[in-house]
Every structure is written in C-alpha cells, then in structure tokens.
Amino acid sequence: MSSIRIVARTQSWRNGAVILPLVAVLITLLVTSGAVFAANANPLQVFFEIFIEPFRSRYSFLETLVSATPLFLTGTAVALAFRSGYYNIGAEGQLLVGAIFAAGIGPRLGGVPQIFGILAMVFAGAFGGLVWALIPALLRTRANIDEVVTTLLLNPTATLLVAGLLNGPWRNPVTHFNESERIVAAAEFPILLSRSRINFGFVVAVIVMIIVALVVHRSALGLKMRAAGLSPEGARFNGLAVEGLLLKAALGSGAIAGITGACLVGGIQFRLTEGISGGLGYTGILVATLGGLNILGVAAAGFLLALVNVGASSANRVFGIPAQLSAVISGSLMMITVAVMLFRRYRLVYRKAK
Amino acid sequence: MSFLVNVLEAMLRVSTPLALGSSGEVVTERSGVLNLGIEGTMYAGAFFGFYAAYQTDSRWVGLAVAIAVGALAGALLSFLVVTLGVNQHTAGLGMTIFLIGTSEFVNRAALGTGFGTSLKVETFGVIKPFGLGGIAAQYGMTYVTLLIVVPCLWWMLRHTSLGLAITAVGENPEAADVAGINVKLTRYIALIIGGMLMAAGGAFLTLATLGSFTLDIIAGRGWVCLALVIFGRWGVFRALAGGLLFSFVYALQFRLRLLDAWQGVPFELLLALPYLITIVALVASGRNAKYPGAYLKPYRRA
C-alpha cells in the first residue's frame, strides 16, 4: 500500500527557518480568504490593500513602522523570556504598568533638557514593567507557582488599574475625559521624519533589539539562558543556577514590555488612555513565536503583523470589511505557523505501493 | 441579613461560568494537555451562542451551537497539540486570539455593531424551586451546572473507564498505551469535552445573565479558570470551591460598591480584587503543586 509518513530529519532544515514561515503566511491567506469572502469582499483586492499598498505610499509605509515599533518591543520581551524557558504571558499587563509609570512622571518633567526627559520616560516605563513582572517571577523561582497563570491574571488586573486611575484620581482635570494629564514637551519623543508619526520610540526599539540580540547570542549570560530554556534539568545538572537565570529573563522581559508602554505614552498618545495597548502584549507572543524566538525573526514578524494591522484598517475604510480581520489573520497565522514549523524537524516521505 | 443573602445569591450566579470553564480545563489537563484556548473558547461560546439564538429566536439552539463551537475548538486544538504535537502554550494562545478575532469579526460583519450591541435575545430564566426565593432563586443553568454537571464529571473521572483512561494518558501515556488505551483518541475526547464545557460557560453569560453580547465579555474569566484548576489540584469539586471563593469576593465587592462608605474607592480597584485573591489562593495552595505526569508532553510512539 502506498502511504505518506512523517519521518524525523537527521539534521534540522536550515533554510526552513526562512521558507516555512512564508509557507505559513500563504496558507493563512488561503484560509482567511474565506472570512473575506463571507464579508462580501474580494480577497485579492483586500490582500493587495494589506500587503502591497503600504509600499506604494510614503505615509502608509512610515505608519506601518509606527505600528511595528511596539510589536518589535513586546516581541523581543516575549522572545527573551521564552528562550529561557520562562513563559511570560504577561507582557500586556507589564506594558500597561510601564505606561502608567511613564504617564505619571511625564507631566512632572517640566524644565529638564529633552534628552533627560526621554531617558526618564524610558526608565520609568522599564521600572513599571519590571515591578509588574517581579511578582510572578518571584512566585515562580521561590515557590514554584506556575508563571503562565499568574502573569495571565495580572493582565486584566493591570487593565483595571489603568481604568481605575483614569476614572478616579487621574481623570483629566480640564477636559474631564478619562485620560491623564498631558506629558510636558521635554518628555515627548521627537518626530524623526516630517509629515509622519514615526518618532524616537522606533530608535528605542532598535536599540533594545540590538542589546537583546547581543546578550542572547553573544554573551555567556545568553548562552546560559538558552541552556536553561532548552533543558532546565540538564542546565541544573551542569551547575547552572536556573532560578537566577529565570529571574533575570523574567525581569528583563518585563522591563522591555514596560518600555513599550513608555514609547506609546511618549511618542503617540502623550498621556495614559484606556485603550493604549489593545492587546499589543498578546500580539508580542505571536511576533516572538512567528520570529522563531530570534531577534531578526522578531523584526520580520513585527513588520509583517504591523502590515496586517495597518492594512486591515485601511481595507476597512476602502472595502468596509471589519478591521477585526487583523485578529482573524493573526490568530490563524499563529496556529498555522507552529504547525508548519514542525517541518524543520520532520519531513514527509511518500512510499509507493509494493 | 439581606446583604449576606444578596452576596450569596450573586456568588452562585457568578460562579456558574467559572465552574463550567474550570471543570472543562480539569478534564483537559487531566489528559496531560494545557488548553490556553480557554479564554477564546468561552468568548466564542458567548458570541456564537448569542448569534445563533438571535438568528433562530431560540435560546436552546443558541446553547447547542455554543457547545458545538466549543467541541470544534477542542478538536482543532487536539489536531495541533495531540496529532502534530506542537507547543501547547503557543497553539492555545493562537486559538484564543483566533476565536476572539473571529467572534468580533462575525459580530461586526453580520450584526453590524462594534461597540457592544443592544440586540437582545430571550434568556433562560431564573427558577424558584418550591417557591423559594433568596439564595435559591437561580438560573436553571446554575442548578444544572452545580448539581448535575460538576458531580457527573467527578463521577466520570473517578468511576468510568473513560475517566480512568483520561487520567492514565495524562500521567503515563507509555504505560496507558501498553495497557491498550488509545492515547491520542483519549486526549481528543478529553479536549472536546473540555471545549464544550468552556463554551457553555461563555454562553451562560449571553444566554442567561445578559441576554446580549458585549465586547470583552469574558474579561479574563478563562485565565481565572486556569488558576482554579491548579488551586483545585485537578479535581472538579476543589476547582469549584475555588470558583465559589472567587465569586464570593466578586459578589462582595459588587455589593460594597453600592454602600455609601465605599463611594470614594474607584470600582475598578475593587473589581481587580478577585484576580488578586486568586493569585493569593494559588500561592497558599499551589506551592509545588503536583502536575499530571505527562503535562505539556506530546506523545509519540517510540
């Protein structure tokens, strides 16, 4: 009888790291075109609007980079933690608390030089994210409490904290809107290119990515973290202090997620607002996975998902298709990618009938 | 006195979706699989249950559709994590993002509303057995969940061959395989049953308590269920006890908000209290919790 069998590869397929994600994207587009059809639109036109149109206009392209900036950061945050075997699913909450700290210090930086103001914002964000990441990290390393559950529970808690501040003590005293006081000019991230929203946050994201890439791929600490992630028992057997490594990865991850919040406050919103994140922390998990937990991959995946986000809202304007298409594409892409990536380690063998 | 009655009455109502979701996750995790798709499955159950009920004018059809969607979600996740053996964290989260996205997409495309809808369906009503009011005045689904579903699941897990097979493949799939249990099929069944329960929990919110669908309707309840499973050490009754504790704190803060003395406290901070209590309870009970032996491990025959 002829049959198709799945056989383990003797060596992992190197080119697969590039080819397979592209295959995953293609399959995702095929699958999600069903949703586009159902909403009475032509998938070819919609996907053209999402993936090609941004490259034809300066503004759309820069807007995609603006949208990619927080994804670079949350993707890097998640990749750093996952690589070390610490499942930080709390980037959303850490981002929000980082934004709270940045929005708290932002209006009080009047009279300082702008470079100091920006640094203060970034550090405030990092500190906020770190604080929020510290609780689950300590619970995991000291009491062996599953970090997946605690980081997840702290996400809605942070959302409520933001809402509580904005409806209570931080409600804008002038407009009475539920948004905090505007940050001062010295705390604002400068715009990099005229007639766009691309700002210093993009530079922050690139710097953070370079630092994390150097630490993970080129330092002893990074090697130890990866060892702990691949096999905690093995790492422990070889004398590595796995708990200490997990704590470092968790706090680094939280700090980066917090910096994302600072970038959103300093470069886009200039204040704390209720919808400031809208799931960027969760999308970061998708970016990290899609990027194969390495930083170049995160950059590519972050850009791709930014295209999907920006493109879905422009497809919404042009074709009236719901902008939630971006979440449909993202979610399918995540599941399809993990499935397709198996072919790095396995291959299909067709056996002819005998 | 009436204050306490109010709180306890609300506690049972609030605990219903948590009891369904957490017992679904217990069945799933007992088979050695983590389902992080729970938040999305509850969301899809809430939306598609409402949508079907709205289209057909029948809450029963709505409930049936919600449960079917849950079964499909369970089967799809099984294909990814049981058949293909991919990372369970990623597959589950992808499932959650996909199901929430799809629900909101369909909501927007078919019902044409974005910011929560004012569309209403007829809900399952409150019943008052023997004319009793107060704490006993509860939705029929609450009675069914607490008095029938959860005890039956307990019995199923402990005393039926399916339940024992689920536990066996979760603890030691190699041994179960040798003993003639079909490991993959058993896990599929566990995930499908789990998905049905989670979706029914979501549907309770739209088809019983609210009668309508609003965005972010689940608001982290799925994540709470994950905590309850660990708190309950993979037992349905103990997870239910945790759910009642969460619901008690939830109901209490809700009542406190109505008191004058508490007017100054932003209600969101009180709303956050149950999540924090859950973490505290987890710390108190979950230290070095003993996970199922094959937790997170895909099974491949050597």
Side-chain angles (χ1 to χ4, degrees):
Chain A
M1 214 177 79
S2 62
S3 65
I4 296 175
R5 287 178 58 100
I6 302 175
V7 180
R9 291 175 190 274
T10 45
Q11 271 184 318
S12 91
W13 181 25
R14 285 201 76 92
N15 292 336
V18 176
I19 296 169
L20 292 173
L22 294 176
V23 173
V25 171
L26 279 179
I27 297 176
T28 305
L29 293 186
L30 279 177
V31 173
T32 48
S33 56
V36 178
F37 266 125
N40 294 321
N42 178 344
L44 284 179
Q45 282 179 326
V46 169
F47 292 142
F48 185 84
E49 184 70 30
I50 293 178
F51 294 104
I52 309 293
E53 208 47 46
F55 292 98
R56 288 155 49 103
S57 117
R58 174 182 181 272
Y59 181 79
S60 305
F61 182 74
L62 292 176
E63 200 52 26
T64 307
L65 290 183
V66 171
S67 183
T69 302
L71 295 179
F72 289 157
L73 284 166
T74 52
T76 304
V78 173
L80 176 65
F82 277 31
R83 275 240 152 178
S84 320
Y86 182 86
Y87 282 95
N88 176 18
I89 325 263
E92 180 77 6
Q94 291 144 16
L95 182 162
L96 288 172
V97 176
I100 291 175
F101 275 62
I105 199 174
R108 286 162 193 79
L109 291 168
V112 304
Q114 190 171 24
I115 180 71
F116 178 78
I118 292 170
L119 277 176
M121 291 285 284
V122 171
F123 278 104
F127 184 72
L130 192 145
V131 166
W132 211 243
L134 183 66
I135 310 158
L138 285 179
L139 288 177
R140 165 66 200 273
T141 52
R142 296 285 159 82
N144 207 14
I145 305 284
D146 192 354
E147 77 276 15
V148 173
V149 175
T150 46
T151 52
L152 274 172
L153 283 172
L154 286 174
N155 291 339
T157 310
T159 309
L160 288 166
L161 187 61
V162 169
L165 282 169
L166 294 181
N167 290 324
W170 279 19
R171 182 183 286 275
N172 191 311
V174 184
T175 60
H176 292 289
F177 284 138
N178 52 349
E179 53 182 36
S180 70
E181 204 179 324
R182 197 182 201 289
I183 60 173
V184 297
E188 276 183 29
F189 289 15
I191 297 286
L192 298 181
L193 295 167
S194 62
R195 289 179 294 114
S196 80
R197 295 199 299 162
I198 186 124
N199 61 74
F200 189 71
F202 183 76
V203 178
V204 172
V206 172
I207 293 173
V208 167
M209 285 202 286
I210 292 173
I211 293 174
V212 171
L214 289 176
V215 169
V216 170
H217 299 286
R218 292 275 182 276
S219 79
L221 176 65
L223 186 66
K224 287 178 193 164
M225 281 179 170
R226 279 184 287 156
L230 285 173
S231 162
E233 293 82 14
R236 206 168 281 128
F237 184 73
N238 283 297
L240 293 183
V242 174
E243 270 65 35
L245 290 168
L246 285 186
L247 191 64
K248 282 178 192 146
L251 298 184
S253 177
I256 296 169
I259 290 174
T260 321
C263 289
L264 291 170
V265 172
I268 306 288
Q269 306 279 353
F270 308 119
R271 53 174 65 84
L272 187 64
T273 58
E274 277 207 51
I276 194 160
S277 174
L280 289 167
Y282 293 109
T283 317
I285 298 165
L286 172 52
V287 171
T289 311
L290 201 56
L293 304 187
N294 86 58
I295 301 302
L296 274 180
V298 164
F303 185 75
L304 177 74
L305 287 172
L307 276 179
V308 172
N309 270 335
V310 174
S313 27
S314 83
N316 174 246
R317 284 191 303 274
V318 180
F319 304 107
I321 186 165
Q324 285 83 356
L325 179 66
S326 90
V328 177
I329 295 181
S330 307
S332 324
L333 187 59
M334 186 150 167
M335 292 189 285
I336 291 168
T337 305
V338 285
V340 169
M341 287 307 272
L342 283 179
F343 288 96
R344 279 196 80 181
R345 286 182 289 124
Y346 296 90
R347 62 203 170 97
L348 292 179
V349 177
Y350 180 73
R351 289 208 185 139
K352 264 219 165 132
K354 280 187 183 146
Chain B
M1 194 59 210
S2 77
F3 180 81
L4 189 63
V5 170
N6 279 336
V7 169
L8 293 178
E9 180 268 322
M11 173 185 84
L12 293 178
R13 170 161 40 80
V14 171
S15 73
T16 308
L18 298 175
L20 287 166
S22 61
S23 49
E25 187 72 33
V26 166
V27 174
T28 306
E29 290 193 18
R30 286 273 281 245
S31 80
V33 177
L34 167 71
N35 184 352
L36 284 187
I38 181 170
E39 179 85 4
T41 307
M42 291 179 80
Y43 201 95
F47 172 71
F48 285 102
F50 168 78
Y51 180 56
Y54 179 75
Q55 295 293 349
T56 60
D57 241 346
S58 162
R59 54 205 175 173
W60 288 104
V61 173
L63 184 61
V65 166
I67 291 173
V69 167
L72 269 177
L76 177 57
L77 190 68
S78 304
F79 176 71
L80 290 171
V81 302
V82 179
T83 302
L84 298 179
V86 307
N87 179 303
Q88 297 180 4
H89 290 101
T90 342
L93 283 167
M95 182 73 122
T96 285
I97 295 175
F98 172 74
L99 289 177
I100 293 180
T102 307
S103 302
E104 293 186 352
F105 183 85
V106 177
N107 179 44
R108 194 66 191 265
L111 300 177
T113 46
F115 299 98
T117 117
S118 55
L119 303 175
K120 283 272 183 187
V121 293
E122 193 195 352
T123 60
F124 291 104
V126 169
I127 53 174
K128 295 181 176 173
F130 314 112
L132 289 170
I135 302 172
Q138 296 288 347
Y139 290 100
M141 272 182 86
T142 301
Y143 274 110
V144 172
T145 301
L146 300 184
L147 299 181
I148 299 175
V149 174
V150 173
C152 281
L153 284 170
W154 177 84
W155 180 79
M156 187 276 279
L157 284 170
R158 281 194 82 143
H159 295 291
T160 66
S161 55
L162 174 64
L164 297 176
I166 289 174
T167 308
V169 302
E171 286 298 333
N172 191 339
E174 290 80 11
D177 195 0
V178 171
I181 296 172
N182 186 334
V183 176
K184 294 190 173 180
L185 179 67
T186 307
R187 287 186 169 166
Y188 261 85
I189 294 173
L191 264 83
I192 289 171
I193 295 175
M196 289 158 75
L197 290 162
M198 294 166 193
F204 173 80
L205 294 171
T206 47
L207 297 180
T209 47
L210 285 178
S212 61
F213 172 78
T214 55
L215 297 181
D216 200 26
I217 189 167
I218 302 300
R221 283 183 181 81
W223 310 141
V224 170
C225 289
L226 288 174
L228 295 178
V229 172
I230 301 173
F231 175 84
R233 301 193 174 223
W234 295 271
V236 282
F237 277 125
R238 282 168 303 197
L240 173 62
L244 289 171
L245 171 71
F246 176 95
S247 308
F248 179 76
V249 178
Y250 189 92
L252 189 66
Q253 62 84 21
F254 192 80
R255 295 290 151 183
L256 287 178
R257 263 151 57 184
L258 304 175
L259 300 180
D260 288 338
W262 290 77
Q263 289 301 317
V265 184
F267 74 91
E268 290 88 354
L269 298 186
L270 289 171
L271 263 178
L273 205 58
Y275 297 102
L276 296 174
I277 297 283
T278 307
I279 294 178
V280 172
L282 201 57
V283 175
S285 71
R287 280 179 84 100
N288 302 312
K290 202 195 159 300
Y291 284 76
Y295 189 64
L296 297 177
K297 295 195 186 89
Y299 179 66
R300 288 193 188 88
R301 247 184 211 173

